[in-house]
């Protein structure tokens, strides 16, 4: 009798252990653990998301594992939600898992009605898609976009939503060298971009409308990169390139100035009004440090598309 009770207890314990192991495995899969083998169902009424950055192919390794996008499925514009259902189709989270965008809710159902996607990155909870907060202090790469060229909408039977995201901010890139006549070491440890005089505004934070791309500035200040430890050469070298992610200068006017500190000295130069930092551009400066002054050798503007920056800042 005692032996039978012990056997029963052993069997119950074994069953509980198996149940707990199974539950833990399921939890790991839901959280996207190493055993995550989720795939789209293959049904033609299930929305499947693909995403690329402007200037890059879908096959390129653009997105790191666990990167998150947010997107809104609409009838055509933000606020006019697909199937009149904001709970299901507004601010859907999509997480990169083993090459697939895994959505939450997990399966997004489409009907015969066409739907327009507006996407953004990085994902945030409880956001207004017409006023997503952005800032430059963290040097975050903010992206937004909609369908790729040639795709107008998604619906049942046309369920692959291919979105292309561009940069909401702009990039200012300073390439530094020293004058050939400057024989001693020239070490740069800090660079600031400041207003040239009182009353000039440099936007550093604001809100983004992911449908129009419009940015509304809400805060002003300056940009700083410190603890750089650059040893300048007489040539423009990749290691002496300093990048800032900045707010576009949309309505703000007035001269600004980069201030460079090297060898315990501070030098500066003025950049005029003509240098407008437009959204999605790289503003590239080639600067030569000449003792107590800086000379602008070259300035050019390029589209900010083909460069992948995650983790560089």
């Amino acid at each position: 009798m005692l032996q039978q009770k012990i056997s029963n207890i052993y069997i119950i314990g074994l069953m509980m252990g198996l149940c707990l192991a199974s539950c833990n495995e399921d939890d790991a899969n839901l959280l996207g653990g190493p055993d995550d083998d989720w795939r789209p169902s293959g049904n033609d009424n299930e929305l499947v998301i693909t995403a690329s950055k402007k200037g890059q192919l879908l096959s390129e390794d653009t997105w790191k594992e666990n990167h998150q996008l947010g997107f809104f499925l609409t009838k055509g514009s933000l606020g006019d939600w697909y199937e009149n259902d904001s709970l299901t189709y507004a601010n859907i989270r999509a997480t990169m898992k083993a090459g697939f965008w895994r959505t939450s809710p997990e399966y997004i159902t489409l009907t015969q009605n066409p739907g327009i996607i507006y996407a953004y990155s990085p994902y945030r909870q409880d956001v207004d898609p017409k006023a997503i907060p952005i800032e430059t202090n963290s040097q975050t790469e903010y992206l937004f976009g909609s369908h790729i060229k040639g795709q107008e909408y998604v619906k049942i039977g046309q369920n692959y939503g291919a979105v292309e995201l561009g940069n909401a901010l702009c990039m200012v890139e300073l390439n530094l060298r020293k004058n050939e006549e400057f024989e001693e070491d020239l070490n740069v440890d800090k660079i600031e971009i400041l207003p040239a005089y009182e009353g000039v505004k440099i936007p550093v934070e604001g809100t983004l409308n992911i449908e129009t791309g419009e940015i509304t500035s809400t805060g002003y200040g300056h940009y700083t990169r410190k603890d750089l430890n650059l040893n300048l050469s007489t040539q423009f070298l990749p290691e002496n390139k300093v990048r800032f992610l900045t707010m576009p200068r949309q309505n703000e006017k007035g001269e600004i100035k980069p201030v460079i500190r090297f060898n315990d000295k501070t030098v500066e130069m003025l950049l005029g009004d003509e240098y407008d930092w437009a959204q999605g551009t790289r503003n590239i400066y080639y600067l030569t440090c000449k003792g107590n002054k800086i000379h602008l050798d070259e300035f050019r503007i390029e589209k900010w598309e083909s460069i992948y920056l995650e983790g560089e800042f």
Side-chain angles (χ1 to χ4, degrees), residues 154-171:
V154 291
K155 67 176 185 176
I156 190 170
Q158 300 177 32
N159 58 317
Y160 276 76
V163 297
E164 183 180 57
L165 292 92
N167 292 282
L169 301 180
C170 62
M171 185 199 305

Side-chain angles (χ1 to χ4, degrees), residues 5-233:
K5 287 183 178 180
I6 294 173
S7 298
N8 290 341
I9 292 172
Y10 173 78
I11 291 171
I12 292 171
L14 180 61
M15 291 176 67
M16 290 178 65
L18 290 172
C19 179
L20 287 171
S22 175
C23 291
N24 289 337
E25 184 177 351
D26 290 342
D27 288 344
N29 286 334
L30 287 172
L31 294 172
D35 298 324
D36 187 6
D37 58 357
W38 178 88
R39 296 292 184 272
S41 69
N43 297 327
D44 67 357
N45 68 338
E46 177 199 339
L47 177 62
V48 179
I49 293 292
T50 63
S52 62
K53 294 184 181 180
K54 284 187 177 179
Q56 293 183 316
L57 302 175
L58 287 173
S59 59
E60 289 187 273
D61 186 19
T62 303
W63 309 103
K64 292 186 177 181
E65 189 78 356
N66 296 317
H67 186 91
Q68 292 186 335
L69 305 178
F71 66 93
F72 296 78
L73 187 59
T74 73
K75 295 178 183 178
S77 60
L78 292 174
D80 192 8
W81 308 122
Y82 192 70
E83 298 301 304
N84 299 316
D85 185 352
S86 62
L87 291 178
T88 303
Y89 298 109
N91 204 26
I92 300 165
R93 185 178 71 241
T95 305
M96 173 53 65
K97 291 292 183 184
F100 294 92
W101 288 106
R102 184 171 183 174
T103 60
S104 178
E106 196 161 89
Y107 297 105
I108 308 300
T109 303
L110 298 172
T111 68
Q112 290 290 350
N113 297 321
I116 308 298
I117 298 170
Y118 296 99
Y120 72 98
S121 170
Y123 172 81
R124 295 178 61 128
Q125 288 185 317
D126 303 323
V127 294
D128 176 356
K130 295 182 180 181
I132 292 180
I134 59 174
E135 47 76 32
T136 57
N137 184 57
S138 65
Q139 294 291 277
T140 296
E141 186 183 20
Y142 295 100
L143 304 170
F144 73 100
S146 188
H147 297 268
I148 62 172
K149 187 177 181 180
Q151 184 183 74
E152 296 180 1
Y153 53 79
V154 291
K155 67 176 185 176
I156 190 170
Q158 300 177 32
N159 58 317
Y160 276 76
V163 297
E164 183 180 57
L165 292 92
N167 292 282
L169 301 180
C170 62
M171 185 199 305
V172 173
E173 181 180 294
L174 305 180
N175 295 270
L176 304 174
R177 70 174 180 178
K178 67 180 181 179
N179 186 278
E180 293 180 354
E181 299 175 359
F182 203 95
E183 296 182 357
E184 62 181 291
D185 287 344
L186 203 162
N187 298 296
V188 174
D189 64 351
K190 182 179 180 181
I191 299 177
E192 295 181 288
I193 298 177
L194 302 170
Y197 48 83
E198 187 177 353
V200 176
K201 292 183 177 181
I202 298 179
V204 296
E205 59 185 33
T207 59
L208 168 69
N209 183 321
I210 66 170
E211 181 177 352
T212 65
E214 181 181 357
I215 290 177
T216 302
S217 300
T218 59
Y220 302 89
H222 65 279
Y223 299 105
T224 302
R225 296 293 302 276
K226 57 184 180 180
D227 301 324
L228 292 171
N229 195 28
L230 306 180
N231 187 2
L232 299 192
S233 167

Side-chain angles (χ1 to χ4, degrees), residues 294-306:
I294 308 170
H295 181 262
L296 176 62
D297 295 335
E298 182 186 354
F299 170 70
R300 68 173 187 264
I301 301 174
E302 297 178 356
K303 289 184 179 180
W304 178 11
E305 290 186 345
S306 59

Side-chain angles (χ1 to χ4, degrees), residues 234-247:
T234 55
Q235 306 295 319
F236 289 115
L237 301 178
E239 56 265 34
N240 291 330
K241 178 186 301 181
V242 181
R243 290 176 174 143
F244 296 82
L245 297 188
T246 70
M247 298 276 287

Side-chain angles (χ1 to χ4, degrees), residues 274-285:
E274 66 270 23
Y275 300 118
D276 291 329
W277 300 341
Q279 186 176 67
T281 62
R282 296 172 64 196
N283 300 266
I284 305 170
Y285 299 84

